[in-house]
Amino acid sequence: MMNFLHNPPRFLFFTGKGGVGKTSIACAAAVQLADAGKQVLLVSTDPASNVGQVFGLSIGNQVVAVPAVSNLSALEIDPPAAAQAYRDRIVGPVRGVLPDAVVKGIEEQLSGACTTEIAAFDEFTALLADDAATRGFDHVIFDTAPTGHTIRLLSLPGAWSGFLEAGQGDASCLGPLAGLDKQRTQYQAAVAALQDGARTRLVLVARGQGATLREAARTHEELAAIGLSRQYLVINGLLPESEAAHDPLAAAVLRRERAALANLPAALRELPVDNIALKAFNLVGLEALRQLLQAEVSGITPIGSEPHIGLPDAPTLSTLVDGIAAPGHGLVMLMGKGGVGKTTLAAAIAVELAARGLPVHLTTSDPAAHLSETLAGELPNLAVSRIDPHAATEAYRAHVMATKGAALDEAGRALLAEDLRSPCTEEIAVFQAFSRAIRESGRQFVVMDTAPTGHTLLLLDATGAYHRDVARQMATGSHFTTPMMQLQDPARTKVLIVTLAETTPVLEAAHLQDDLRRAGIEPWAWVVNNCIAAAPVASPLLRRRADSELREIDGIRSRHAQRWAVVPLLANEPVGAARLRALANCEHTAELRG
């Protein structure tokens, strides 16, 4: 049995950088415990959950039994559904009692991303507080959103408890906060459960890559600081040594993984560790899940002796960069599931545009992104920044106190300062920083590495709420431009959806495209990253994965993308300007030799 499943407590959290396999491992752990006779509830807190896709059934915002697995039930915390239920709970009692104009005003206050986050958080804490929905379960397993979102979620119980203890404010989040005071006991119980090592275990999931291991180390330290000290480490998707014998690319990947493990961050060295080997199959379906945590799996079906030679006619990233560069300025947003390589591709595009003499601002809205590690240096024509939630929040608080607070007396300033300590303030501050980055693209290129899908959709929700608010307040016939209008203008904004050629990432990318289209934003291109099918491989395991990728690529080309490009799996991590330019210009043979 894996270390992380030895004598498991009631609550298990799986977290880590996007794309490391949190969902697959959480689902496999849930199946293993259920098979052992335990009653298990599997919960996804990811706004872009794909637990239902893994099991091949529709789950949603109510607890449902998984028919193929006795003792297993599942729940996906659906932020929009949670927000609607939260709004109904607050507005319902006053509908028909207060004037319609007042009720409409309350509904407007409850229409933004702040309400969505509070509502999802409210459901999350209810599960931790041992309410009626979970009393019949021996274990509750949480498949969480990628790291940055999860750190915020796990710190919110303490943040809201402290805020309520100090007395709530009355400006930025008056509507959303209306239902919070009643939940004080629930939040205190959630904090107690999270900090109790006998009840809660946190499983950090990483890959054999320096970036994800460093991310795991940072997550370990941040969550330990808020009392989540019982932590385990799982390193997923390690290439078996036998696959490297006759394959230069596989041998290079194996060397890279060994180097990363040899340099394991000090913060992780004392944690119990489990290693999980890369599998030849996609982790979709019950049979695959039951094999994931096994030390050995059934053999790989022979597929002939001829090596896979790649996709010589597939469009390359360089063709997309040419189209991006043509207008001389604009906003380029890379979106997608966590772990698909948005940060690397954003950096590669920005570096190539800057190398052509074009002014570029490379920025990220991902709380867990680290562009400086990818760039590893400075370049002419390229400015780099990060929308840091903490820094943005402090700047916003200072601005509000210096403007709105300047006209208030001492008591009024004290109330305003208290209101600005609300965790909701962070959402407002991040949205404003996001809007400033959008405005800059009118005179230069702004390349934005966005947060993983669910968090980005919440940010777009705030953008849409702001747009509706401005439109409602402007007189008929007035001319105005909002950030949402710029995102909807294909002449000013190009959205690139990044995915891997695997079943779940492609399905999630397709759902993201549908969500963007409903918001009036048409994706410009798809990029298939780390593509084994686009690389020459001889390893039987990699060839089997390449064959399955070809089916996914055909679906992207024929059903989803207006234009598309493929970036192959590389022998070396594309870190530093030279390798990023090589990636953008498709100099892959040189990279493989390196």
Side-chain angles (χ1 to χ4, degrees):
M1 181 176 287
M2 295 279 171
N3 287 312
F4 72 85
L5 282 178
H6 182 66
N7 291 331
R10 186 154 193 259
F11 300 115
L12 291 97
F13 284 85
F14 291 82
T15 191
K17 190 174 173 65
V20 295
K22 296 182 303 296
T23 296
S24 298
I25 295 172
C27 291
V31 169
Q32 185 162 318
L33 290 172
D35 285 346
K38 301 295 185 181
Q39 292 293 328
V40 180
L41 176 62
L42 175 61
V43 180
S44 174
T45 66
D46 189 343
S49 173
N50 53 36
V51 168
Q53 295 165 5
V54 172
F55 285 105
L57 77 159
S58 177
I59 296 176
N61 208 37
Q62 299 292 326
V63 175
V64 299
V66 177
V69 185
S70 299
N71 307 319
L72 178 60
S73 299
L75 165 69
E76 292 176 334
I77 294 179
D78 180 346
Q84 187 56 53
Y86 187 87
R87 283 191 287 268
D88 292 342
R89 196 161 69 241
I90 294 175
V91 178
V94 300
R95 200 182 300 278
V97 177
L98 297 177
D100 289 346
V102 175
V103 173
K104 186 175 181 180
I106 296 172
E107 290 176 330
E108 285 296 334
Q109 283 186 308
L110 295 169
S111 66
C114 184
T115 298
T116 302
E117 180 178 65
I118 290 173
F121 156 76
D122 205 34
E123 292 199 4
F124 163 71
T125 54
L127 295 171
L128 284 172
D130 198 28
D131 77 339
T134 61
R135 284 194 190 119
F137 295 100
D138 300 305
H139 301 288
V140 183
I141 294 179
F142 291 89
D143 168 39
T144 72
T147 307
H149 198 95
T150 294
I151 290 173
R152 177 158 170 76
L153 180 67
L154 295 180
S155 64
L156 276 172
W160 279 117
S161 291
F163 182 70
L164 292 171
E165 289 298 329
Q168 67 184 51
D170 63 356
S172 66
C173 283
L174 175 61
L177 284 175
L180 281 178
D181 197 49
K182 299 175 184 177
Q183 308 293 73
R184 189 188 308 265
T185 302
Q186 178 174 300
Y187 298 162
Q188 291 171 341
V191 172
L194 286 170
Q195 295 179 344
D196 184 353
R199 285 191 284 168
T200 299
R201 179 176 298 173
L202 187 78
V203 182
L204 303 169
V205 184
R207 299 294 292 265
Q209 302 163 353
T212 71
L213 290 168
R214 289 189 294 271
E215 180 70 28
R218 282 187 287 265
T219 305
H220 163 68
E221 292 171 340
E222 290 192 50
L223 293 179
I226 60 172
L228 279 78
S229 57
R230 192 70 180 271
Q231 299 184 20
Y232 287 65
L233 175 65
V234 174
I235 303 176
N236 186 35
L238 291 171
L239 188 71
E241 185 175 351
S242 59
E243 297 296 322
H246 305 291
D247 189 326
L249 180 57
V253 171
L254 184 64
R255 287 195 301 272
R256 189 167 70 195
E257 290 180 346
R258 285 179 170 175
L261 296 180
N263 292 289
L264 193 69
L268 301 178
R269 291 176 188 166
E270 301 303 316
L271 299 182
V273 179
D274 292 299
N275 293 331
I276 298 177
L278 181 69
K279 303 298 189 288
F281 46 81
N282 277 327
L283 292 166
V284 176
L286 193 55
E287 182 181 355
L289 290 175
R290 285 197 166 115
Q291 292 191 71
L292 175 59
L293 301 184
Q294 295 179 15
E296 296 182 4
V297 299
S298 54
I300 302 168
T301 305
I303 54 175
S305 58
E306 292 298 317
H308 177 83
I309 61 172
L311 293 171
D313 298 325
T316 62
L317 187 62
S318 62
T319 61
L320 296 185
V321 175
D322 289 341
I324 291 169
H329 64 86
L331 177 65
V332 183
M333 298 184 71
L334 287 91
M335 297 186 183
K337 178 180 170 65
V340 296
K342 296 184 301 295
T343 300
T344 297
L345 293 181
I349 291 169
V351 165
E352 177 57 25
L353 291 172
R356 298 183 185 192
L358 298 165
V360 183
H361 177 191
L362 173 62
T363 187
T364 180
S365 63
D366 186 349
H370 298 275
L371 288 171
S372 59
E373 293 176 1
T374 302
L375 286 168
E378 298 182 359
L379 287 173
N381 304 316
L382 179 62
V384 181
S385 71
R386 181 167 80 94
I387 299 176
D388 183 311
H390 299 296
T393 302
E394 289 306 312
Y396 174 76
R397 286 173 177 150
H399 173 74
V400 172
M401 291 301 296
T403 53
K404 183 178 179 179
L408 300 176
D409 59 20
E410 185 175 347
R413 284 177 60 83
L415 286 172
L416 179 60
E418 185 65 41
D419 182 47
L420 290 170
R421 282 194 284 274
S422 155
C424 253
T425 303
E426 182 177 305
E427 294 296 335
I428 300 168
V430 169
F431 165 69
Q432 290 199 349
F434 175 64
S435 300
R436 285 193 295 272
I438 291 175
R439 287 196 297 271
E440 287 182 18
S441 63
R443 60 181 184 276
Q444 64 176 358
F445 279 106
V446 175
V447 179
M448 181 172 289
D449 162 40
T450 69
T453 305
H455 203 98
T456 294
L457 291 177
L458 291 178
L459 186 57
L460 292 178
D461 180 41
T463 308
Y466 174 77
H467 170 80
R468 293 189 295 273
D469 190 53
V470 171
R472 187 178 64 254
Q473 294 182 36
M474 296 295 289
T476 303
S478 300
H479 294 285
F480 62 92
T481 300
T482 65
M484 179 58 80
M485 293 168 69
Q486 178 153 341
L487 295 178
Q488 293 169 335
D489 184 352
R492 304 170 74 179
T493 299
K494 290 181 172 65
V495 172
L496 278 63
I497 293 180
V498 184
T499 187
L500 304 177
E502 299 172 11
T503 304
T504 298
V506 170
L507 282 172
E508 184 162 320
H511 291 322
L512 169 60
Q513 179 160 270
D514 291 341
D515 286 331
L516 290 170
R517 285 173 171 168
R518 280 192 288 272
I521 301 169
E522 182 61 34
W524 185 72
W526 283 47
V527 181
V528 181
N529 194 30
N530 285 335
C531 182
I532 299 171
V537 292
S539 153
L541 187 152
L542 294 183
R543 287 167 62 202
R544 176 60 66 191
R545 292 186 70 91
D547 281 357
S548 66
E549 286 186 351
L550 291 174
R551 294 189 293 273
E552 299 297 336
I553 292 170
D554 183 64
I556 291 170
R557 177 190 58 79
S558 60
R559 294 195 300 272
H560 298 308
Q562 295 185 40
R563 56 180 66 80
W564 59 289
V566 170
V567 176
L569 176 68
L570 302 178
N572 295 305
E573 289 190 78
V575 174
R579 286 185 179 172
L580 289 169
R581 283 206 72 192
L583 187 156
N585 288 292
C586 307
E587 297 169 7
H588 304 309
T589 54
E591 181 66 20
L592 182 57
R593 288 195 300 271

